[in-house]
Amino acid sequence: MSAAESPAMFEPGAESMPAEQLTGLQLERLRALIDRLLALGGVQGVRLKEAGVAAGADVNLAVLSRLPVTSKADLWDAYPFGLLAVPREDVVAVHGSSGTGGRPTLVAYTRDDIKLWARMCARALTAAGATPASIVHNAYGYGLFTGGLGIHQGAIEMGATVVPASGGMTPRQVTLIRDLKPDILTCTPSYAIRLGEALAEAGVGPGQGLALRAGIFGAEPWTEELRLRLESLLGIRALDIYGLSEIIGPGVAAECIVAADGLHVNEDHFLVEALDVVTGLPVPDGQPGELTFTTLTKQALPLLRYRTGDIASLRRGTCPCGRTLVKMSKVTGRKDDMLVIRGVNVYPSEVERVLLAHDALSPDYLLVVDERSAQPRLLAVCEAGTGWQGPAPQVTLIESELRGTLGLSVAVRLMPTGSVPRTEVGKAVRVARWRAGDEPPVRGLG
Ligand code: DLL
């Protein structure tokens, strides 16, 4: 698609703002945020004072990296409403995340926060080519999770028709997609695979009545290899959307259909940094670091330099779509998702990239950390692709590619189709631990 045919922007004034004007706006908003935090006198205000900041006017963007940070632990310590920056009566909604293995994280929104969130999701939908004439099949879960209601409000904000399918009940989703002919699909990438396979089984595929043009997939890490799988399975452009409850939910950053090579961060509202995980100092653009966000305009739960644990790199410049907003790369993993196997650091996405480059393998896989003996080892439990007609997957070749890429031996176990547990609702689980005395995490894994 050329720039001339680029879809509109939802908020062109903000999304294509010249860099200098944008930094001016960010500074003005950052100073106002700091004044607010100092006046509130909560933990963030106290830390600012300890860092020698007495007023917003004391800071500029160049000293951002010297300001105090916040983390998930601050939200947990203050659970449920300790970090609230507005009277409780001004909160119109709460959302949250069950977390990947910890306590739930609860976040609060004022009416204006909800409006902001809807606009951020409307930006993401518009960047994917959605228009007020679009039908958006929204299969993110509705509930405390921010995916369903966030996208829902964004679709309404931009005037599209939203189908609130939520997660699960796949046969009903197939019927809705067949009958309503949505052009936009929104769900997790793993559920998009599940839906695509179910649609194909029902004889509804690309060129067989499927009208989908783009998918907006996020809430879990996924690779370029999975993008190719999704694009051919569903006949769409598969685009990434990123966000986290603490910052607002989906809509912190999203890819455009023009370039589809990184996610535009809505940095007029969410100031982003990439930090070295160990030193906490900013890494140069292009290098992976921990995404750290400052909410510049949020009311109920403003956060200064929130360290997300998500690893990605940043890239500046004007995109062919015309947006000037900084781009983040796909998230390669979370700092706490990194597996350490016999001293070798492995991110699950590195394994996914090798596995899914093999068309003979299904996109469903599970990494099992076999801890039954003193020397843990990594197993990649895979299946042959459903409907795959070509030669069987070459297990020894895949193992040698994994060894070459990771510097670690990974045993590839090919299991019958349907063995790897699928996630219909919520986030895909890609890693399981197998401890002595446990049942195997996948039935039949000996
Ligand atoms: O997952 C918000 C969301 C909903 C984003 C729908 C996109 C689409 P939480 O449940 O709070 O919020 O989980 C946030 O999920 O810190 C990342 O680790 C991960 N995550 C979210 N989007 C992506 C993505 C929502 N596109 C946590 N790629 C984040 C990789 C993602 N990881």
Side-chain angles (χ1 to χ4, degrees), residues 197 229 355-356 358-366 380-386 388 393 398 412-422 442:
E197 287 175 352
R229 295 294 187 98
L355 297 178
L356 298 197
H358 291 265
D359 290 339
L361 288 183
S362 145
D364 299 292
Y365 66 90
L366 183 72
V381 182
C382 304
E383 296 175 7
T386 14
W388 172 249
I398 302 168
V412 173
R413 293 295 175 77
L414 202 58
M415 306 292 285
T417 304
S419 308
V420 174
R422 268 53 167 181
V442 175

Side-chain angles (χ1 to χ4, degrees), residues 142-165:
Y142 280 61
L144 260 195
F145 174 56
T146 50
L149 282 158
I151 298 291
H152 183 98
Q153 291 160 153
I156 291 176
E157 178 72 20
M158 60 163 298
T161 306
V162 62
V163 183

Side-chain angles (χ1 to χ4, degrees), residues 72 96-100 105 107 117 140 144-148 151 187-189 216-222 239-253 263 306 308-311 328-334 336-337 427:
K72 207 180 258 289
S97 150
S98 54
T100 35
T105 309
V107 295
W117 188 20
Y140 283 113
L144 260 195
F145 174 56
T146 50
I151 298 291
C187 60
T188 60
I216 309 180
F217 305 129
E220 58 192 30
W222 55 296
L239 304 171
D240 201 345
I241 182 167
Y242 169 84
L244 59 165
S245 328
E246 298 91 308
I247 300 305
I248 203 152
V252 173
L263 299 85
Y306 182 77
T308 63
D310 295 322
I311 308 296
M328 56 176 261
S329 67
K330 275 183 155 306
V331 171
T332 50
R334 291 185 51 76
D336 45 15
D337 273 357
K427 304 190 185 215

Side-chain angles (χ1 to χ4, degrees), residues 124-207:
L125 285 156
T126 309
T131 70
S134 289
I135 299 184
V136 179
H137 182 95
N138 185 20
Y140 283 113
Y142 280 61
L144 260 195
F145 174 56
T146 50
L149 282 158
I151 298 291
H152 183 98
Q153 291 160 153
I156 291 176
E157 178 72 20
M158 60 163 298
T161 306
V162 62
V163 183
S166 194
M169 294 205 267
T170 304
R172 191 183 68 174
Q173 307 236 7
V174 169
T175 307
L176 285 169
I177 292 173
R178 191 192 57 209
D179 296 349
L180 299 181
K181 305 209 180 316
D183 52 329
I184 306 281
L185 172 65
T186 55
C187 60
T188 60
S190 53
Y191 191 57
I193 291 282
R194 171 84 195 91
L195 265 180
E197 287 175 352
L199 284 162
E201 275 163 34
V204 188

Side-chain angles (χ1 to χ4, degrees), residues 78-403:
Y79 179 90
F81 282 135
L83 286 188
L84 210 58
V86 296
R88 226 282 305 133
E89 311 79 87
D90 291 353
V91 172
V92 299
V94 291
H95 277 279
S97 150
S98 54
T100 35
R103 282 174 275 183
T105 309
L106 268 199
V107 295
Y109 301 75
T110 63
R111 196 180 293 274
D112 282 346
D113 291 336
I114 295 281
K115 285 188 193 150
L116 170 67
W117 188 20
R119 281 165 41 216
M120 297 302 105
C121 288
R123 283 188 188 181
L125 285 156
T126 309
T131 70
S134 289
I135 299 184
V136 179
H137 182 95
N138 185 20
Y140 283 113
Y142 280 61
L144 260 195
F145 174 56
T146 50
L149 282 158
I151 298 291
H152 183 98
Q153 291 160 153
I156 291 176
E157 178 72 20
M158 60 163 298
T161 306
V162 62
V163 183
S166 194
M169 294 205 267
T170 304
R172 191 183 68 174
Q173 307 236 7
V174 169
T175 307
L176 285 169
I177 292 173
R178 191 192 57 209
D179 296 349
L180 299 181
K181 305 209 180 316
D183 52 329
I184 306 281
L185 172 65
T186 55
C187 60
T188 60
S190 53
Y191 191 57
I193 291 282
R194 171 84 195 91
L195 265 180
E197 287 175 352
L199 284 162
E201 275 163 34
V204 188
Q208 302 170 291
L210 198 59
L212 289 173
R213 285 188 298 124
I216 309 180
F217 305 129
E220 58 192 30
W222 55 296
T223 57
E224 290 299 329
E225 284 67 23
L226 193 62
R227 191 198 303 265
L228 297 178
R229 295 294 187 98
L230 284 163
E231 294 192 336
S232 74
L233 181 65
L234 291 158
I236 53 167
R237 291 309 304 276
L239 304 171
D240 201 345
I241 182 167
Y242 169 84
L244 59 165
S245 328
E246 298 91 308
I247 300 305
I248 203 152
V252 173
E255 274 181 331
C256 62
I257 195 163
V258 176
D261 68 345
L263 299 85
H264 292 286
V265 180
N266 287 318
E267 56 174 333
D268 49 333
H269 295 282
F270 313 113
L271 192 57
V272 62
E273 303 167 81
L275 304 182
D276 182 296
V277 170
V278 180
T279 63
L281 294 173
V283 298
D285 283 352
Q287 278 186 28
E290 180 178 353
L291 294 175
T292 299
F293 290 98
T294 297
T295 64
L296 293 174
T297 52
K298 242 178 44 170
Q299 295 177 340
L301 186 67
L303 289 174
L304 183 65
R305 306 192 74 220
Y306 182 77
R307 293 189 63 158
T308 63
D310 295 322
I311 308 296
S313 59
L314 299 177
R315 183 158 40 105
R316 278 161 233 277
T318 303
C319 178
C321 73
R323 287 178 182 78
T324 48
L325 300 169
V326 65
K327 275 187 191 177
M328 56 176 261
S329 67
K330 275 183 155 306
V331 171
T332 50
R334 291 185 51 76
K335 66 179 181 195
D336 45 15
D337 273 357
M338 191 178 74
L339 303 170
V340 185
I341 314 281
R342 297 197 301 273
V344 180
N345 300 345
V346 182
Y347 280 107
S349 63
E350 294 176 296
V351 184
E352 175 176 304
R353 227 170 285 141
V354 174
L355 297 178
L356 298 197
H358 291 265
D359 290 339
L361 288 183
S362 145
D364 299 292
Y365 66 90
L366 183 72
L367 304 184
V368 174
V369 185
D370 181 357
E371 296 175 333
R372 290 172 302 157
S373 62
Q375 280 286 343
R377 39 180 214 145
L378 190 59
L379 312 177
V381 182
C382 304
E383 296 175 7
T386 14
W388 172 249
Q389 306 285 346
Q394 293 177 274
V395 168
T396 17
L397 172 69
I398 302 168
E399 286 179 338
S400 96
E401 286 176 2
L402 284 167
R403 193 162 41 246

